[in-house]
Amino acid sequence: MSHLHWAAITEGLLESVWVVDPTTLQILAVNQAALRLVGATREAMVGSPVHVWASDLQDHVYWDEWRSGIRQTLESEAWLRRTDGELLRVQRRIGPVHPEGGAPVVLVAMQDLTDWQRTQQRLEELLAELRAVLESSSDGILVCDLDGRVRAFNRAFAHIWELPEALLTEPDDAALLRHLAAAVQDASAFQARLSELQRAPLLEAHDIVLLRSGRILERSTRPQLARGRPVGRIHVYRDITEHAALDAKLRLAAKVFEASLDAIVVTDPQRHIVACNPAALRLAALDHDDASGWPIETLLDAPNRPGWPVQVDQALAERGYWEGELWLRRPHGPGVALLVSWVMLRDAQGQPLNTVLFAKDLSEKLEAQRRIEQLAYSDPLTGLPNRLMLGERVGHAIRLAQRSGQGFAVLFLDLDRFKGINDSLGHAFGDRVLVEIAQRLQRCLRQTDTLARLGGDEFVIHLHDANRHAAELAAQRIIEAVTRPVTIDEMQFTLSCSIGIAMYPDDGTTLDELIQCADTAMYQVKDRGKGHWRFYQPDMNADLLARIQTDHAMRQGLQRGEFELYYQPRVDLRRGRVTACEALLRWHRPGAGLVLPAAFIGVAEETGLIVQLGQWVLQQAVAQARRWLDAGQPTQVAVNVSALQFEQPGFVQEVAETLQRHGLPPPLLELELTETILVRDADDALAKLQALAALGVELSLDDFGTGYSSLTYLKRFPLHRLKIDRSFVMTLHEQAAADVAIVAAIVQMGHALGMEAVAEGVEHAHQLQRLRALGCDHFQGFWYARPLPAAEVAAHLGQTLVLPAPASA
């Protein structure tokens, strides 16, 4: 058979079909469906090897068996390669065909499984949702198939029927039914009723079940439908013991019609209303006599099915029932969606007697569905789109931009110092602030733009069809809107925000890339003082990556022992002897040599690693001070303490345990603190410093004069020394009058408060002469010694220095 004949045969098939020569393994013919599936032209496929498009291991085995004379049919799932490189999962069937008068060929038929797999996933999601709805009901629900086998029941059912643990963990339908029968007063009637319901799969029923325990259950049973056909039955049990006395059981059964939770309407054979139960009247918003005699079609409608009354007539005449969804018209207010079961009642001669309509209000279900969709796509606090909806809109914008060549902007906005509002005024107040800010932001944007809340105080804005100038103007409008005073509960305050801007396609081609770039730019604004906007620049990521890499390298270096302490001797100016050393951290970073703290301490403080580094420094310095003490050279060691380390709840205990572990007398340890530590939480700092002083540890204030420098906390805190910052010392030899006056004031103030003064950064003899003249107590600096490894410091300990004479006043 010629290749043209094959094409004529296969073109009419919905499946993708290849005709393959089993000898050469070349494709002889393909139909149009196959070309669409792989995205190729007929010229590209016909004549090409079959392995180019499908090369699973099972394919090779099949063709090898063909060459060996084994000719059989292979049916399996496989991966198919498209021309764009995408792999598709297909269901395929490979089998030999023997055309009359021609050589045998192999027919490969395939179906794309992508939609099927997507459908399976959606079915699993729906099943999970149904399970959640089932478990959220306070009624006991039992779901059975048409044969009466148990498919599911919820916790409320297990509680009402007091199911034993074994039935909850090991499904056993027979044991479950035996348990139910044993729990009711009339087991035979109970089982007979279940059998009757099983024989009538479309029958709905409401009845009363009396238990041996004396409790009364109301049972509502209705068919479970799929595509209009019964697939099982749902039994709903509600404990009504508290609402009915035991002596009213018969009367309760007679009033099922009145007490039914579903709307029930009885009509004559011509479908004029005869009676409505209270639920139906409430649902239709009618009085008792208003609906009597009305054609029921005047209350019902099906906008999408104009011929629905004819369908109901046919179903009632042929099957005796009809089920479906209808809309209830109401005299006032919107219509109500109903799930309707309509039954024809006949007399003994089979003539129509009445029709009974059972209706359930679907409003809650539809509202729940609408609410679920709303929650899935919007932020519950502000009502703004969430990340999911933002992704869909930006994805659409990207597709438009790819066709039109126009770009757009993505702004990442974060409120400045919003955490302080939550911490001081509570999250409820903070939520109201976020709602107010969201409304302001929305008013700054066009209808084509999208404002989304990612969470907390972070917002993302998609500016449709915007260039850099438009993005800049939008950012300015937003900042102005946010900084206007906010008034809530008569409290007025002002906020600000930081904005990072990324442009499509220059900064990214996906939403994740654009948000990442805008976020990076926003943090650059945060680092530079907040309250402004900035465009993303490629080097921002490079700087961020370098900081991330530095943090990682430090953490590894701490584990590998790459850090070392150097010690800078401190000289007592009165005795001319080295009595203390300041511990200074050094990092032997592989490939970079010896790294000074200025290159990595900032990153450590930013990431929180400074706490671990500080703990390591404290341990090492105390251990070294102990070794000097054991060598007969008692020397005080000064250790710098970061603000984050000092704020740790167990810091004082850590210091005490370290001293005890190494047996170091507390006065040989000095902790150097910054002014930031003392003013951030003065009461907490005072308590900790008093506890440290009680241990016997000495305390000094580092870089004095460069920060908040307040006599208030100098007077309150138990400090032993003030360290004069090197910026005041470096010009003393030049006779800088202002610096001389500052140093003199610090020395005198320290002495007046019972503290010693330590000068840092002394590099010239003239500086030292001036310090001695001003009464300074200690100094350290390059004039005497640079920071040294511990082994080299030992030579300086206990040495007497010849110091230059004090400078004349």
Side-chain angles (χ1 to χ4, degrees), residues 333-384:
V336 178
L338 301 176
L339 178 63
V340 174
S341 297
W342 211 328
V343 181
M344 172 69 77
L345 303 181
R346 299 181 183 273
D347 59 19
Q349 290 73 38
Q351 296 300 313
L353 184 62
N354 295 99
T355 72
V356 182
L357 181 146
F358 302 89
K360 185 173 184 62
D361 185 356
L362 294 179
S363 300
E364 293 184 2
K365 176 184 176 182
L366 296 177
E367 175 59 24
Q369 182 177 351
R370 185 197 66 80
R371 181 59 178 163
I372 289 172
E373 292 178 356
Q374 180 184 15
L375 292 175
Y377 286 95
S378 63
D379 171 51
L381 174 64
T382 62
L384 294 175

Side-chain angles (χ1 to χ4, degrees), residues 445-490:
L445 305 177
R446 304 164 297 177
Q447 289 186 348
T448 54
D449 301 329
T450 299
L451 169 64
R453 178 175 178 244
L454 297 189
D457 59 337
E458 294 180 342
F459 298 85
V460 172
I461 300 168
H462 163 239
L463 295 180
H464 177 71
D465 194 17
N467 55 23
R468 292 176 69 89
H469 179 64
E472 180 179 340
L473 293 178
Q476 291 174 347
R477 287 197 306 271
I478 290 170
I479 289 176
E480 291 172 0
V482 172
T483 53
R484 290 198 300 270
V486 178
T487 303
I488 296 179
D489 293 342
E490 300 182 354

Side-chain angles (χ1 to χ4, degrees), residues 546-726:
R547 298 173 77 85
I548 292 174
Q549 291 174 334
T550 299
D551 175 64
H552 179 66
M554 280 193 294
R555 293 179 188 276
Q556 288 187 321
L558 195 57
Q559 296 176 355
R560 297 172 180 171
E562 296 174 4
F563 287 93
E564 180 184 3
L565 286 186
Y566 275 41
Y567 298 87
Q568 186 171 37
R570 190 169 76 198
V571 180
D572 185 329
L573 284 171
R574 294 183 299 273
R575 293 185 291 170
R577 296 173 64 86
V578 175
T579 57
C581 292
E582 180 179 1
L584 301 169
L585 189 61
R586 297 293 185 266
W587 180 16
H588 296 278
R589 185 174 185 181
L594 189 64
V595 183
L596 298 180
F600 61 86
I601 287 297
V603 175
E605 290 177 339
E606 178 183 326
T607 62
L609 182 61
I610 193 68
V611 175
Q612 292 175 257
L613 285 176
Q615 293 170 345
W616 183 88
V617 169
L618 179 65
Q619 293 288 339
Q620 298 298 315
V622 170
Q624 181 60 55
R626 179 65 203 190
R627 286 192 288 271
W628 284 331
L629 177 63
D630 293 340
Q633 297 177 314
T635 304
Q636 186 183 67
V637 174
V639 175
N640 290 279
V641 178
S642 71
L644 189 58
Q645 182 184 7
F646 185 81
E647 291 170 356
Q648 299 303 304
F651 176 70
V652 175
Q653 183 65 25
E654 177 190 348
V655 173
E657 291 176 353
T658 303
L659 291 170
Q660 184 178 9
R661 182 180 305 116
H662 296 283
L664 184 70
L668 292 182
L669 175 63
E670 179 183 271
L671 299 180
E672 295 191 6
L673 313 171
T674 62
E675 296 179 23
T676 304
I677 293 175
L678 304 183
V679 301
R680 183 175 295 182
D681 188 342
D683 293 335
D684 180 69
L686 178 60
K688 287 183 177 179
L689 292 182
Q690 288 175 339
L692 291 169
L695 289 176
V697 173
E698 297 196 349
L699 306 168
S700 66
L701 187 59
D702 200 10
D703 300 332
F704 184 76
T706 61
Y708 299 94
S709 299
S710 169
L711 288 175
T712 302
Y713 63 71
L714 284 181
K715 182 175 64 176
R716 292 178 62 193
F717 297 128
L719 301 172
H720 299 83
R721 294 179 187 86
L722 298 179
K723 299 197 73 174
I724 305 170
D725 187 72
R726 64 181 64 247

Side-chain angles (χ1 to χ4, degrees), residues 140-192:
I141 300 176
L142 174 67
V143 183
C144 301
D145 63 15
L146 291 177
D147 296 325
R149 290 188 293 267
V150 176
R151 291 214 303 256
F153 56 84
N154 64 355
R155 285 192 294 268
F157 175 83
H159 174 72
I160 289 173
W161 286 95
E162 299 179 348
L163 297 185
E165 186 68 23
L167 291 179
L168 300 179
T169 57
E170 296 293 335
D172 187 337
D173 292 359
L176 176 62
L177 292 176
R178 287 195 300 271
H179 177 82
L180 300 185
V184 301
Q185 291 187 9
D186 190 342
S188 60
F190 178 78
Q191 292 174 333

Side-chain angles (χ1 to χ4, degrees), residues 109-393:
M110 291 166 288
Q111 283 187 330
D112 187 357
L113 293 179
T114 303
D115 290 339
W116 178 84
Q117 290 174 334
R118 189 177 295 115
T119 301
Q120 288 295 107
Q121 181 179 355
R122 180 55 182 160
L123 288 175
E124 292 177 0
E125 294 173 355
L126 289 175
L127 182 61
E129 293 173 3
L130 291 175
R131 170 59 67 180
V133 172
L134 184 69
E135 290 299 339
S136 66
S137 174
S138 60
D139 293 338
I141 300 176
L142 174 67
V143 183
C144 301
D145 63 15
L146 291 177
D147 296 325
R149 290 188 293 267
V150 176
R151 291 214 303 256
F153 56 84
N154 64 355
R155 285 192 294 268
F157 175 83
H159 174 72
I160 289 173
W161 286 95
E162 299 179 348
L163 297 185
E165 186 68 23
L167 291 179
L168 300 179
T169 57
E170 296 293 335
D172 187 337
D173 292 359
L176 176 62
L177 292 176
R178 287 195 300 271
H179 177 82
L180 300 185
V184 301
Q185 291 187 9
D186 190 342
S188 60
F190 178 78
Q191 292 174 333
R193 183 56 170 164
L194 291 181
S195 299
E196 179 184 353
L197 294 172
Q198 186 175 341
R199 290 193 299 270
L202 291 174
L203 181 63
E204 290 195 43
H206 300 270
D207 49 23
I208 302 300
V209 177
L210 304 179
L211 303 185
R212 291 180 181 273
S213 63
R215 291 186 296 128
I216 305 173
L217 303 182
E218 177 183 309
R219 176 173 59 194
S220 175
T221 177
R222 58 177 56 85
Q224 184 182 18
L225 304 176
R227 298 185 179 179
R229 298 180 63 84
V231 296
R233 181 167 291 280
I234 299 176
H235 303 275
V236 180
Y237 291 91
R238 176 172 294 180
D239 190 339
I240 61 170
T241 307
E242 297 180 358
H243 304 286
L246 291 178
D247 59 355
K249 288 186 288 184
L250 294 177
R251 289 197 300 272
L252 180 63
K255 293 182 179 180
V256 169
F257 176 80
E258 292 292 326
S260 173
L261 299 177
D262 291 340
I264 303 176
V265 179
V266 181
T267 76
D268 60 19
Q270 290 72 41
R271 296 212 291 270
H272 290 82
I273 297 175
V274 175
C276 299
N277 73 341
L281 293 173
R282 289 193 301 270
L283 194 61
L286 296 173
D287 291 332
H288 183 73
D289 297 327
D290 285 351
S292 181
W294 286 10
I296 196 169
E297 286 86 349
T298 61
L299 295 177
L300 301 176
D301 191 15
N304 298 327
R305 303 195 307 276
W308 71 271
V310 176
Q311 297 173 6
V312 171
D313 284 339
Q314 292 175 348
L316 292 178
E318 295 172 2
R319 301 190 302 271
Y321 67 89
W322 178 88
E323 291 184 332
E325 291 186 7
L326 295 174
W327 280 87
L328 171 66
R329 298 191 185 101
R330 297 201 291 186
H332 306 289
V336 178
L338 301 176
L339 178 63
V340 174
S341 297
W342 211 328
V343 181
M344 172 69 77
L345 303 181
R346 299 181 183 273
D347 59 19
Q349 290 73 38
Q351 296 300 313
L353 184 62
N354 295 99
T355 72
V356 182
L357 181 146
F358 302 89
K360 185 173 184 62
D361 185 356
L362 294 179
S363 300
E364 293 184 2
K365 176 184 176 182
L366 296 177
E367 175 59 24
Q369 182 177 351
R370 185 197 66 80
R371 181 59 178 163
I372 289 172
E373 292 178 356
Q374 180 184 15
L375 292 175
Y377 286 95
S378 63
D379 171 51
L381 174 64
T382 62
L384 294 175
N386 61 9
R387 177 66 175 263
L388 183 59
M389 182 177 290
L390 177 68
E392 291 188 1
R393 294 186 180 179

